[in-house]
Amino acid sequence: MLVTRQKLLRRFWYPVMPMTMLDAGPRPFTLLGEKIVLFKGPDGRPVALLDRCCHRTAELSKGTVENGNIVCGYHGWTYDATGKCVRIPQNTEASIPASAKVPAYRCDARYGYAWVALDEPVQPIFELTEATDPAYRQIDQFYEVWNCAGLRLMENSFDMAHLSFVHKGTFGPKSHVPRSMSMEASEWGLETNVETPVANPEMARNVVGSDAAETVRVMRGSWFLPFSRRLAISYPNGLRHTIITNATPIDDRSSMVVQWCYRSDTEAQVPAAEIIAFDRAVTNEDKTILESTDPDACIDTTRRIEFHMDSDKPGLIMREKLLALLREYGEEEVHG
Ligand code: FES
Ligand SMILES: [Fe+2]
C-alpha cells in the first residue's frame, strides 16, 4: 500500500511532534507526503499550515513566530492560525487580498503532542485512560524516523512469534509458546490479550522489578486504525507499563515513530532514563528487522496458512479491516 496515494489516510489524526519542539519556533513536518509547518498559535495551541508561502513559495518553517502568527523568512508576509495573510510589510496602501492565504489543517494538542488530520477526520483522537489516571506517570520515549511502513510496524506490534527471534538480546523467550491469546476486532481497530513467559535479562530486572531469570507478561494490545497501538503490560508484582506507539506516515517508505509510555511506579523507584534505555534496546531490535521489510508488499492472503497461526492473525485482521474501510470510502488499495 502506498500511503500517500490513499485519500482515506488523510482523514485520521496523527501525532506529529512533541509540543515542546515548538517552543523555539516553527518546525516542518512531512505528513503523508504533504509538507506542513507547525507552530504555536496565540493561545499556545498548535497550528498546522501548508509549508509554502503564497507570495514566492518559500517554506514558512524557515520563518519566525510573532504573537502567535507565522512570519515568512523571505519578505515577512505574516499568516494567522487560519492561514490568512494578515500583514504584507511592503504594502502600505492596498488592503490584503482574500487570496493571500495558505491552507490550514486541523491541529490539536493531546498527550503532550501536536496532532494533525489533513482532511475531515473519520474518528476522534483515541482516548487513553492512563493519561488522566493519577496512578500513572508519562515518559516520552522516542521520536525518530524509521524507514518502514506504518502497517509493517503495526503487524509487528501484535506478532508474538517474532519475540524469540528478533528480541533474543532482550526479553525474547527461548521457545515461544504464549500461554493464552485472544483477539477481537473492534469497530476502529483490534483488541488482543496475551499472556506469555519472557526472559528477564540483567538490564530489565530493575525495570520490571524482578530478579528472576524469567517473568510473565500479561498484555492487552489495542490497535487504533491506522497506525497506532496501545500495549498495556502488567507483571506478576502488579507493575503496569503501557506503551503507546505511533507510526506517523511521513511518506510511502518512512514513518515517524512517536512512542511514550505510562508507568504505575515513580521516578524514585525506577528512573525514566533506565526505562527508556531498556525499551531502546528492544526497539532497536525491531527497527533493524522492520527496516528490511517491503513497505508496499502485502501478505499473500490466498496462502491461508497464516490464518491458522495466532501470531499472524492480528496482522491479517488489520490488513482486511483497512482494505474494507478503503472500499467503504470508495477507494482501492494502491501499489507502486
Ligand atoms: S516568499 Fe514569503 S514573503 Fe515572499
Ligand atoms: Fe518487537
Side-chain angles (χ1 to χ4, degrees), residues 156 162-163 167 286:
N156 169 270
H162 83 280
L163 306 186
H167 297 300
D286 286 312

Side-chain angles (χ1 to χ4, degrees), residues 28-47:
F29 191 88
T30 303
L31 179 62
L32 288 164
E34 195 128 318
K35 291 191 166 193
I36 63 178
V37 57
L38 288 116
F39 61 97
K40 280 191 176 172
D43 53 2
R45 301 186 66 76
V47 175

Side-chain angles (χ1 to χ4, degrees), residues 48-183:
L49 304 178
L50 184 71
D51 195 8
R52 185 68 71 206
C53 179
C54 75
H55 177 221
R56 264 198 272 133
T57 74
E59 290 174 350
L60 291 170
S61 54
K62 301 268 194 298
T64 51
V65 176
E66 281 175 23
N67 303 320
N69 292 332
I70 189 162
V71 182
C72 180
Y74 201 172
H75 314 96
W77 286 33
T78 302
Y79 301 88
D80 69 11
T82 68
K84 182 171 169 291
C85 180
V86 291
R87 181 168 183 253
I88 297 176
Q90 302 78 18
N91 167 31
T92 50
E93 287 167 18
S95 60
I96 298 170
S99 62
K101 61 174 192 240
V102 294
Y105 306 98
R106 289 153 195 82
C107 189
D108 205 353
R110 207 68 196 276
Y111 312 128
Y113 292 82
W115 295 65
V116 174
L118 294 175
D119 290 326
E120 183 67 34
V122 289
Q123 267 293 289
I125 297 170
F126 49 84
E127 293 295 329
L128 296 170
T129 51
E130 292 90 341
T132 49
D133 184 339
Y136 289 92
R137 59 177 161 144
Q138 178 172 338
I139 300 170
D140 296 310
Q141 296 191 294
F142 312 120
Y143 181 73
E144 63 193 22
V145 177
W146 286 21
N147 294 313
C148 78
L151 204 51
R152 293 283 97 85
L153 201 152
M154 290 296 111
E155 290 161 0
N156 169 270
S157 299
F158 289 84
D159 160 16
M160 293 301 120
H162 83 280
L163 306 186
S164 45
F165 291 92
V166 171
H167 297 300
K168 274 192 203 98
T170 54
F171 71 101
K174 278 198 184 66
S175 92
H176 173 67
V177 186
R179 283 189 197 157
S180 64
M181 179 156 192
S182 68
M183 64 192 84

